[in-house]
Amino acid sequence: MNRFTYQQIEAGEHLDLIRDKKSFEVVLLEGHLSDAVQLIERHIESRDMSCRIYTSKRVATATIGLLDAGLGIAALAGIAIHNIATYNPDWEICRYLVDKKIEVTYMK
C-alpha cells in the first residue's frame, strides 16, 4: 500500500491515487490527523465521489460503553445512523487515533 506523510498530502502527492481509485495510507500525523482527513475528503468529493469517515474500533468502544449508564447505546445508535447516511460510499477513511494514521480505501 502506498504511504504518505501529512506534508506529502498537503503537496497533493496522493491525487493521482484518488484519480486512479487506489487505496493508500497516511502516517506520522502528529497533530494533523483531522486536517489530513478534511483535505482528503475534499479531494474525493471534488471528483463527485462519496466517502465515509470513521474511527477504528468505534463499535468495540461503544459496546464497552454499554456498561456505563446507557451511553454505549447512544453511541451505537449514532454509528448506525452514520452508516445509513453514508451508505455505499466510494471511499472509506479510517482514523487510527492511537497510531496517528489514516487509511484511505477505495470500496467499489
Side-chain angles (χ1 to χ4, degrees), residues 2-83:
N2 292 295
R3 283 190 168 168
F4 296 95
T5 64
Y6 177 69
Q7 290 74 20
Q8 291 172 303
I9 294 297
E10 272 191 315
E13 293 183 27
H14 66 295
L15 294 174
D16 288 343
L17 293 178
I18 291 174
R19 182 197 65 221
D20 296 339
K21 301 175 180 174
K22 302 210 184 263
S23 301
F24 59 95
E25 179 176 68
V26 186
V27 296
L28 306 173
L29 284 170
E30 302 287 334
H32 296 289
L33 194 134
S34 293
D35 296 333
V37 168
Q38 289 175 356
L39 192 58
I40 293 167
E41 178 184 23
R42 196 168 45 241
H43 289 148
I44 288 170
E45 290 176 346
S46 73
R47 294 189 167 271
D48 293 323
M49 292 187 281
S50 63
C51 61
R52 172 185 295 150
I53 301 166
Y54 67 96
T55 303
S56 173
K57 299 185 178 144
R58 63 190 174 160
V59 172
T61 303
T63 303
I64 291 168
L66 285 172
L67 303 174
D68 186 18
L71 293 176
I73 293 171
L76 288 171
I79 291 168
I81 290 168
H82 176 257
N83 286 346

